[in-house]
């Protein structure tokens, strides 16, 4: 692979998050290096999604700090995360249901578009040029994900697997330097999973995008990840390259303990 | 072969990005505007102009305003009529108090006043949604009407807040007859409708719809919720405000704050439900439908049922038909007449080979 794993760009330190009495995350620290594929695994309810939500500021942890590209913060703000190049997808598809595939992906370029309301109302000159320029970028994403034939379809009418792909497209359209993917392959058949895997690897390889991935399919995770964090009941029980994690006794017992 | 996109390949994104990408639609809209601008003034009598066409246009504009807020940005509002009132009283005061104030500037300033008030009452939308927001806009509805009656300065100290719109004069030409008033209204409404159409198909519109469909995802993409919602309130109220000013100046002439009551707000809401939530064209269809329905019932029911029914029955029948239609559209076709029209077009595109 052409990509070379770089320095640590994201550092989570001592993150604790609770909802009322429920402790979703307890004192968790880990880091993410530039260009790597970093997976977060763990049984249901382990706190994986909560962790992603802390990384891009949807949730605010009670304790801990987040360092992204040298900037130290108590917590993130979603808008800040977006402007700093963090994009994401959601576990329960969060597409804009009433809009077409094309419009959904266009919204991904929101932060890059500079025209204001008055330009838009007139749709002349600058606004028009901008729309066309960004449409070109979006068409690149559409080609990359091989969804040309559905670009004008309302997303609500698409099957689940394609919706997941469109959501990836919306994240990609922002040309992020880091992508947080929450179970991008859940509920897919083998073929769709293979496609999705290929897209993730291609993104990582071609654009050097750092990937933080939550995935339940152990085969996939161990196959494509550079490093893996394991959570269980909101605590970190393992962290390392796939082989280390696979042989970690705590990880094995956590998975055996909840798998039946 | 009448309505086909076959052969109309879009060679560039520019072509695909046009306001009406299908040639027939483009021609259709131009013909429609041409018809209403050139032919209608020749054939329509006073009654049609004053009692049907002018109000349909004005209510279409108000419905576009509400559609921007509710249909596109997903923020339910029951205060449209109050924002119309702000526009009407705003324009009136600018005309009254500033010498030589041009009429078109006055109604735009009236719209701006409404936009400001709209943003103020939109602030709660940052914390509350749905039903509770609707209640907050209801408060706006009552408060604004109350304030316009209570603070007599707004109506230049006339009794119970009644104002009489000044004569309209643009570049020395007096717009005093129904034809000229109709054309003026048509001009303002068509221009504003095209601007609205442009807004909703651009980044602004996509941000509104994103916030409507999934606000967390919108935020994560970098869309500012506060700015997006307040912009929707501002633009929406601006449209309602201009509609209100036209209501006073080209339609009714003499208005009082009570004329812009909750009833009117609901009528505008019904227009977008029946016409189509989230559709500019639907706003026109809905407005036309709601203005025409009572007139049609008044004419046709006695025609068919003759003296069997009293006039109070006819007005009750109106309510029943309204209620039934609204329930029908809410349940069966939430995208209203505009969607039915769309389906019709899709059928036509395939006709005569439906498979
Ligand atoms: N918004 C919230 N409000 C209350 N509790 C929450 C919220 N989000 C998460 N939790 C709780 O935090 C815990 C961790 O949830 P989280 O969704 O992060 O788990 P997960 O590892 O992603 O699980 P899954 O594999 O099922 O997606 C759970 O007990 C969950 O109920
Ligand atoms: Mg989860």
């Amino acid at each position: 692979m052409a990509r070379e794993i770089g320095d640590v760009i994201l550092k989570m330190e001592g993150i604790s998050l609770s909802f009322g009495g429920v402790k979703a995350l307890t004192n968790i620290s880990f880091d993410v290096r530039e260009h790597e594929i970093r997976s977060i695994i763990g049984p249901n309810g382990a706190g994986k999604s909560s962790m992603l939500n802390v990384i891009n500021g949807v949730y605010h942890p009670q304790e801990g700090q987040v360092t992204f590209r040298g900037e130290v913060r108590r917590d993130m703000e979603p808008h800040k995360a977006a402007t700093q190049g963090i994009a994401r997808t959601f576990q329960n598809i969060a597409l804009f249901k009433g809009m077409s595939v094309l419009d959904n992906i266009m919204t991904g370029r929101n932060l890059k578009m500079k025209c204001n309301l008055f330009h838009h109302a007139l749709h002349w000159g600058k606004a028009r040029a901008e729309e066309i320029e960004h449409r070109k970028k979006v068409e690149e994403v559409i080609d990359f994900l091989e969804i040309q034939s559905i670009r004008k379809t309302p997303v609500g009418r698409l099957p689940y697997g394609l919706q997941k792909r469109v959501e990836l497209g919306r994240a990609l359209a922002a040309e992020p330097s880091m992508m947080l993917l929450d179970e991008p392959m859940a509920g897919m058949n083998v073929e769709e999973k293979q496609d999705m895997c290929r897209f993730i690897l291609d993104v990582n390889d071609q654009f050097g995008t750092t990937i933080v991935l939550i995935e339940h399919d152990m085969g996939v995770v161990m196959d494509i990840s550079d490093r893996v964090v394991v959570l269980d009941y909101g605590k970190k029980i393992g962290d390392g390259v796939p082989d280390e994690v696979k042989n970690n006794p705590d990880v094995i017992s956590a998975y055996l303990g909840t798998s039946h | 072969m009448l309505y086909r996109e076959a052969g109309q390949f879009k060679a560039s994104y520019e072509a695909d990005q046009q306001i009406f990408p299908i040639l027939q639609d483009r021609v259709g809209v131009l013909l429609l505007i041409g018809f209403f601008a050139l032919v209608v003034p020749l054939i329509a009598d006073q009654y049609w102009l004053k009692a049907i066409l002018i109000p349909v246009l004005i209510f279409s504009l108000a419905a576009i305003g509400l559609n921007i807020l509710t249909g596109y940005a997903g923020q339910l509002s029951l205060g449209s009529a109050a924002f119309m009132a702000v526009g009407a009283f705003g324009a009136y005061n600018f005309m009254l108090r500033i010498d030589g104030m041009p009429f078109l500037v006055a109604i735009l300033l009236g719209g701006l006043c409404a936009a400001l008030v709209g943003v103020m009452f939109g602030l709660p939308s940052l914390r509350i949604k749905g039903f509770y927001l609707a209640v907050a806009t209801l408060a706006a509805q009552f408060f604004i009407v109350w304030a316009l009656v209570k603070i007599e300065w707004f109506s230049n100290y006339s009794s119970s807040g009644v104002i009489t719109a000044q004569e309209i004069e643009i570049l020395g030409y007096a717009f005093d007859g129904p034809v000229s008033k109709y054309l003026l209204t048509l001009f303002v409404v068509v221009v504003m409708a095209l601007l609205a159409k442009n807004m909703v198909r651009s980044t602004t519109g996509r941000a509104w719809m994103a916030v409507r469909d999934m606000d967390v995802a919108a935020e994560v993409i970098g869309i500012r919720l506060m700015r997006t919602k307040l912009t929707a309130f501002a633009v929406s109220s601006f449209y309602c405000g201009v509609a209100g000013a036209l209501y006073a100046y080209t339609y009714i002439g003499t208005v009082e704050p009570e004329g812009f009551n909750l009833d009117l707000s609901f009528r505008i809401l019904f227009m977008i439900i029946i016409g189509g939530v989230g559709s500019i064209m639907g706003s026109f269809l809905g407005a036309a439908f709601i203005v025409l329905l009572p007139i049609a019932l008044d004419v046709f029911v006695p025609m068919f049922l003759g003296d069997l029914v009293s006039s109070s029955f006819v007005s009750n029948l109106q309510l029943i038909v309204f209620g039934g239609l609204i329930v029908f559209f809410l349940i069966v076709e939430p995208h209203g007449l505009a969607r039915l029209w769309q389906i019709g077009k899709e059928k036509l595109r395939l006709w005569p080979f439906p498979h």
Side-chain angles (χ1 to χ4, degrees):
Chain A
M1 259 186 247
R3 77 197 165 96
E4 235 171 67
I5 291 173
D7 299 332
V8 168
I9 51 169
L10 173 72
K11 202 148 95 191
M12 312 296 290
E13 287 170 289
I15 302 288
S16 293
L17 171 76
S18 53
F19 299 98
V22 182
K23 286 201 124 185
L25 297 168
T26 312
N27 193 24
I28 298 199
S29 305
F30 72 100
D31 58 29
V32 180
R33 292 173 170 277
E34 184 129 46
H35 307 315
E36 79 173 334
I37 298 184
R38 181 72 150 131
S39 290
I40 304 177
I41 63 169
N44 290 111
K48 307 179 294 295
S49 298
S50 301
M51 195 69 225
L52 286 200
N53 281 325
V54 170
I55 294 178
N56 78 336
V58 178
Y59 290 169
H60 300 277
Q62 282 81 13
E63 278 169 57
Q65 67 177 27
V66 182
T67 311
F68 187 67
R69 295 192 184 280
E71 256 185 80
V72 185
R73 279 206 194 74
R74 263 293 287 119
D75 48 21
M76 263 290 182
E77 284 298 329
H79 185 263
K80 187 82 203 165
T83 50
Q84 292 206 321
I86 304 180
R88 78 171 284 183
T89 66
F90 292 82
Q91 183 169 355
N92 311 307
I93 302 171
L95 285 172
F96 306 125
K97 288 271 176 327
M99 296 157 74
S100 68
V101 169
L102 185 63
D103 281 343
N104 265 276
I105 301 179
M106 281 294 273
T107 55
R109 296 198 64 78
N110 177 272
L111 279 174
K112 300 206 180 307
M113 301 180 80
K114 299 286 172 255
C115 285
N116 62 32
L117 178 71
F118 298 100
H119 298 128
H120 294 151
L122 295 173
H123 194 76
W124 204 259
K126 205 169 145 200
R128 211 184 166 112
E130 189 184 64
E131 182 94 3
I132 289 164
E133 174 198 332
H134 289 272
R135 172 74 189 273
K136 282 188 187 130
K137 279 279 171 205
V138 164
E139 289 293 336
E140 284 172 27
V141 172
I142 288 177
D143 287 344
F144 177 80
L145 294 175
E146 299 157 15
I147 47 177
Q148 296 89 340
S149 59
I150 53 165
R151 58 160 87 70
K152 294 280 170 79
T153 313
V155 291
R157 286 198 213 156
L158 296 175
Y160 188 79
L162 276 180
Q163 291 198 16
K164 286 246 161 191
R165 207 184 279 195
V166 174
E167 207 190 2
L168 179 68
R170 187 179 66 189
L172 275 177
E175 300 177 65
S177 68
M178 176 184 276
M179 270 209 302
L180 316 176
L181 305 178
D182 197 342
E183 305 198 14
M185 291 165 237
M188 287 188 168
N189 62 33
V190 179
E191 208 170 304
E192 289 173 324
K193 269 191 188 175
Q194 277 171 355
D195 281 341
M196 192 49 104
C197 255
R198 181 164 53 86
F199 293 135
I200 294 171
L201 286 169
D202 282 354
V203 168
N204 179 244
D205 194 38
Q206 287 179 24
F207 313 127
T209 313
T210 308
I211 310 265
V212 181
L213 174 73
I214 298 178
E215 184 45 55
H216 276 295
D217 186 325
M218 283 308 128
V220 170
V221 169
M222 296 305 168
D223 221 29
I224 70 173
S225 311
D226 294 299
R227 290 189 299 154
V228 180
V229 182
V230 193
L231 302 183
D232 189 23
Y233 291 114
K235 297 200 175 71
K236 184 167 106 171
I237 58 168
D239 189 354
V241 297
D243 278 337
E244 274 175 69
V245 167
K246 258 191 274 189
N247 299 319
N248 180 331
D250 289 340
V251 175
I252 295 169
S253 71
Y255 269 90
L256 290 180
T258 51
S259 63
H260 54 118
Chain B
M1 275 315 292
L2 288 173
Y3 189 77
R4 286 293 147 86
E5 44 179 326
Q8 297 184 30
F9 298 111
K10 313 294 185 312
S12 65
Y13 300 134
E14 199 161 342
D16 200 29
Q17 223 87 267
Q18 273 171 333
I19 187 161
F20 300 107
I22 297 178
L23 179 67
Q24 283 88 335
D25 282 346
R26 218 150 47 229
V27 173
V29 168
L30 279 179
L31 282 180
L32 212 61
I33 295 175
F35 175 77
F36 279 99
L38 303 173
V39 183
V40 166
L42 299 177
I43 55 173
D45 61 11
Q46 286 228 1
Y47 172 77
W48 267 86
L49 291 171
K50 277 162 92 176
I52 297 173
L53 290 162
I54 291 178
V56 165
L57 286 169
I58 291 171
F59 286 128
S60 301
L61 193 61
I64 290 173
L66 181 61
N67 232 330
I68 285 172
L69 186 61
T70 303
Y72 287 94
Q75 313 295 309
L76 185 55
S77 163
L78 295 176
S80 322
F83 298 125
M84 286 177 74
V86 175
F89 281 77
Y92 171 76
N93 278 288
F94 282 112
M95 292 288 281
L96 179 75
R97 292 170 205 283
I98 299 176
D99 249 357
M101 172 58 89
F103 172 72
L104 287 176
V105 177
I107 60 172
L108 292 185
L109 288 173
L112 279 183
C113 294
L116 275 178
V117 177
V119 167
M120 246 167 55
F121 283 99
L123 285 172
S125 72
L126 308 176
R127 318 245 40 203
I128 56 179
K129 294 183 189 176
F131 174 72
Y132 295 95
L133 179 62
V135 173
T137 59
L138 199 59
Q141 170 68 51
F142 287 114
F143 176 79
I144 289 169
V145 170
W146 173 84
L148 287 175
V149 175
K150 211 66 192 167
I151 304 173
E152 292 168 330
W153 183 85
F154 287 129
S155 53
N156 202 21
Y157 306 96
S158 77
S159 63
S160 70
V162 180
I163 56 170
T164 301
Q166 299 89 340
E167 298 293 314
I168 308 170
E169 200 189 290
I170 299 174
L171 301 174
Y173 181 83
F175 287 72
D176 45 11
V179 173
S180 60
K181 281 185 175 169
Y182 161 75
L183 285 173
L184 179 62
T185 311
L186 182 72
F187 171 76
V188 174
V189 173
V190 167
V191 169
M192 286 182 68
L194 290 174
L195 294 181
K197 180 86 188 163
N198 277 338
M199 276 187 258
V200 300
R201 71 200 176 98
S202 67
T203 314
T204 298
R206 285 191 295 263
W208 286 337
M209 292 186 273
V211 168
R212 170 195 72 189
D213 287 349
M214 189 67 75
D215 53 358
V216 178
E219 219 181 349
V220 160
I221 284 172
I223 292 170
R224 300 262 196 189
L225 294 190
M226 179 166 93
R227 191 188 299 168
T228 307
K229 285 182 185 177
L230 291 184
T231 312
F233 268 98
V235 175
S236 162
S237 313
F238 177 80
Y239 273 70
C240 288
V242 173
L246 290 175
Y247 186 87
Y249 280 85
T250 66
Y251 179 37
I252 301 266
T254 299
V255 294
E256 54 174 339
E258 285 297 339
F260 298 99
N261 55 17
L262 184 61
D263 232 43
L264 184 59
S265 283
F266 269 114
R267 272 163 63 96
I268 297 167
L269 183 63
F270 294 160
M271 287 174 196
I272 73 167
I273 291 174
I274 289 180
V277 175
S279 161
I280 301 292
M281 203 212 10
S283 310
F284 284 94
L285 296 178
F289 192 89
I290 294 225
V291 171
L292 286 173
L293 182 71
I295 298 172
L297 287 179
D298 271 347
V299 173
F300 291 117
V301 172
M303 199 188 284
F304 291 118
L305 299 179
D307 296 335
L308 289 175
V309 293
S310 64
S311 64
S312 74
F313 173 82
V314 175
S315 63
N316 280 330
L317 189 66
Q318 260 184 44
L319 291 178
I320 295 168
V321 174
F322 268 140
L325 278 170
I326 281 155
V327 172
F328 169 81
F329 277 108
L330 281 177
I331 294 173
V332 182
E333 190 46 78
H335 295 288
L337 293 172
R339 177 78 193 127
L340 294 180
W341 169 245
Q342 199 77 33
I343 293 172
K345 279 205 304 191
E346 273 170 29
K347 290 245 163 74
L348 191 58
R349 207 177 284 186
L350 299 174
W351 185 85
F353 306 109
H355 295 292

